[in-house]
Each structure stands twice: as C-alpha cells, then as structure tokens.
C-alpha cells in the first residue's frame, strides 16, 4: 500500500464547467506542501475535493483508503466565528466529536499548549468577536490543530497575518508535519514564503497541475512570467532557495481561469 496522498486523474465539475482536470500527484506524509497558482487557478476547488467537501471524479486515496473525514482538519478560505464564544471554547469545539458532555484535563492542556505555541494564550478567555482578523485566523487554525489531523488542509490560512506571524505559523506547520507524520497542504499566494517553508510546491494553472517539485524546480522565471503574467527576477537567497522579485505587469489583462 502506498503511504501518503495519491491523487489519480482527479477532476471537479461545477455545473457544466470543469474546474479541475487531469490532476495526478503523489504526496508523502511528514511534509508541508504549498499549493500555488494565480486567482481562479482551482486551488480552493482542489483542496475542497481532497477534504471531501466537493464531489470529484478520479481517485483520492490517503494511505491506500478513501480519505476519512475524521482524519482531516480542513480550514476553508472563508471561515469565521460569529457566535459569542471564547477563544478556549472555539478550540474545544475542534474536538466536539470526542468531547460529549465532558471536557477532560487533557483537552484543556492540549488547548493551552496549542494557544501557547501560537502566542495566543493571553487571549484564551476573550470572545472571538472581539479579536482582530489575524487573531481570529490563528484561533481557527488552532481549532484545526486540536483535532490532531493526519491530513491538514489549509486554504490561505495565513492571508490575514503579518510577516512575523506568517513565518511563525508556517514554521509551526512544518514542525507539526515532521513531528506527527501528518501531511499539511496549504494554498498560499506568497511565493517566497512557499519557497522558504514548503517541502514541495504544486503549481496550478487553469485547473491543471503545471509542475510539482522543489521551489527551485517550480519557481522558474519562464513559469512565473507565463503563468502569473508578470515581469520578475528570480534570485537566489543565501541558502540557495529562489526568491521571486516582481518587477511589474506588462498589461493588466484578465488571467486564465480554471472555469474558462
Ligand atoms: N461553486 C462554484 N460554481 C461555479 N464555479 C466555481 C465555483 N467555485 C469556484 N468556481 C470557479 O472555479 C474556478 C476556480 O476557483 P477556485 O476558488 O478554486 O480558485 P483559486 O485558485 O482558489 O482562486 P483564488 O486564489 O482567487 O482563491 C474559478 O473560475 C471560479 O470562478
């Protein structure tokens, strides 16, 4: 049995439109994988299909079996808590299937540990609705971590964070993957953060997988130019990783969309 996530000829249709097509990839556990691509490339659709939220064709197997939703922590692109719950209550809801009527000591200590690791412990008693956008995003991520998922699927889960918190969260996710053997998939627009943190990058365009590999293999100047339609330089930082320096757009034309 092949360990990890195997996507074989995955396709997703919305109405009569094919959004994701011919998508095949093999992703090994213990890794952080960045899903990149322009707006409308199909990243959210693909992640929703893997998480079991969107019907698909083809096969998606995790360790040789159809993905068990109990093993998944999925954070969609747009999620918010509007109920009057405290941060701690929101975290505990991450274990709602297990909790029943009792909150055990180990649930509370897991919540405290996760809040600490994200620098959110001082907010534990605060109502969610009083937090900033970035703080709410980190609490919702913490809630997914409470589930101790084998497959953690995050759709732009760092989009509201400042640079320091983006780096901290991505470091934490990479460590989580290594420590627990989980696979972490994250859709992300910041190519340089993807380059710095991800074990591999999957570049989508028009609903198809254009390339999958290390940042040096994926973030090439021809790919950046043709897929993002920008002028750029691709430099090397001291560690040898590619750094994309945008120089401008030739013309602000609509870019190819997975639904076209
Ligand atoms: N429910 C839907 N019905 C029809 N078309 C949809 C639906 N959801 C998404 N699409 C279309 O599918 C294509 C891919 O959308 P998707 O949200 O997966 O892209 P994305 O790569 O995540 O984009 P972004 O970076 O802007 O979030 C887009 O053309 C979008 O308009």
């Amino acid at each position: 049995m092949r360990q990890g996530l195997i996507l074989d000829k995955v396709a997703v249709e919305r109405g009569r439109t094919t959004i994701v097509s011919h998508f095949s990839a093999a992703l090994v556990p213990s890794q952080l994988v960045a899903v990149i691509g322009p707006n409308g490339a199909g990243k959210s659709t693909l992640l929703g299909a893997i998480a079991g939220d969107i019907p698909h064709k083809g096969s998606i197997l995790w360790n040789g079996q159809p993905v068990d939703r109990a093993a998944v922590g999925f954070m969609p692109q747009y999620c918010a808590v509007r109920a009057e719950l405290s941060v701690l209550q929101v975290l505990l809801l991450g274990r709602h299937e297990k909790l029943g009527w009792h909150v055990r000591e180990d649930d509370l200590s897991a919540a405290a540990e996760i809040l600490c690791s994200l620098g959110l412990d001082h907010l534990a008693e605060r109502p969610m609705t009083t937090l900033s956008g970035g703080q709410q995003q980190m609490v919702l991520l913490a809630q997914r971590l409470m589930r101790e998922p084998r497959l953690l699927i995050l759709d732009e889960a760092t989009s509201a964070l400042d640079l320091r918190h983006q780096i901290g969260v991505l470091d934490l996710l990479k460590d989580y993957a290594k420590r627990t053997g989980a696979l972490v998939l994250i859709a992300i627009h910041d190519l340089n953060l993807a380059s710095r943190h991800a074990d591999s990058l999957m570049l989508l365009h028009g609903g198809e997988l254009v390339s999958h590999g290390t940042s040096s293999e994926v973030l090439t100047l021809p790919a950046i130019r043709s897929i993002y339609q920008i002028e750029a330089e691709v430099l090397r930082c001291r560690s040898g990783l590619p750094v994309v320096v945008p120089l401008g757009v030739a013309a602000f034309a609509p870019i190819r969309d997975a639904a076209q």
Side-chain angles (χ1 to χ4, degrees):
M1 179 185 64
R2 288 179 77 184
Q3 293 292 306
L5 186 70
I6 310 293
L7 308 174
D8 187 23
K9 300 188 194 79
V10 173
V12 180
E13 286 164 11
R14 299 289 230 171
R16 290 188 180 173
T17 313
T18 301
I19 306 290
V20 170
S21 51
H22 314 298
F23 201 106
S24 297
L27 306 175
V28 295
S30 305
Q31 293 213 327
L32 174 64
V33 177
V35 181
I36 59 170
N39 293 132
K43 303 178 296 296
S44 298
T45 307
L46 175 74
L47 294 184
I50 296 170
D53 266 18
I54 302 177
H56 66 273
K57 292 182 177 164
S59 106
I60 301 179
L61 298 179
W62 171 246
N63 295 338
Q65 305 288 327
V67 176
D68 173 6
R69 294 186 76 155
V72 174
F74 178 40
M75 184 163 161
Q77 187 171 7
Y78 302 108
C79 52
V81 173
R82 287 186 189 85
E84 281 296 321
L85 294 171
S86 73
V87 166
L88 180 60
Q89 286 169 329
V90 169
L91 257 73
L92 291 172
L93 280 175
R95 291 196 176 178
H96 67 94
E97 291 105 333
K98 284 199 226 157
L99 280 181
W101 292 104
H102 299 287
V103 177
R104 293 167 316 194
E105 200 52 48
D106 62 318
D107 297 316
L108 289 171
S109 54
E113 200 178 308
I114 291 169
L115 286 175
C116 251
S117 68
L118 286 164
L120 298 171
D121 38 324
H122 62 295
L123 300 176
E125 300 302 327
R126 283 267 297 273
M128 272 299 271
T129 48
T130 68
L131 302 188
S132 75
Q135 288 168 337
Q136 289 192 26
Q137 196 172 42
M138 283 199 288
V139 172
L140 293 170
L141 171 64
Q143 186 192 58
R144 273 57 180 191
L145 289 170
M146 279 292 282
R147 297 173 63 81
E148 299 174 332
R150 305 289 86 203
L151 194 50
L152 181 56
I153 302 171
L154 305 168
D155 195 350
E156 297 190 33
T158 55
S159 58
L161 306 186
D162 64 50
L163 195 50
R164 175 171 161 265
H165 285 100
Q166 288 180 65
I167 293 170
V169 164
L170 290 167
D171 278 343
L172 181 140
L173 293 173
K174 193 162 180 174
D175 176 66
Y176 177 77
K178 299 279 174 272
R179 195 164 39 80
T180 65
L183 173 65
V184 180
L185 288 174
I186 182 165
I188 185 166
H189 278 297
D190 190 316
L191 301 179
N192 293 328
L193 284 176
S195 172
R196 181 180 186 275
H197 293 272
D199 295 294
S200 71
L201 283 67
M202 295 201 294
L203 174 59
L204 273 73
H205 186 216
E208 294 184 11
L209 180 62
V210 175
S211 61
H212 177 206
T214 63
S215 54
S216 297
E217 290 164 340
V218 173
L219 297 177
T220 63
L221 189 54
I224 301 295
R225 277 191 178 142
S226 67
I227 289 170
Y228 286 91
Q229 297 188 8
I230 60 166
E231 273 311 316
E233 280 183 49
V234 179
L235 309 178
R236 296 276 152 189
C237 68
R238 247 184 291 171
S239 61
L241 292 172
V243 178
V244 178
V245 182
L247 300 176
V249 281
F252 201 63
I255 46 181
R256 195 174 131 220
D257 173 294
Q260 287 172 335

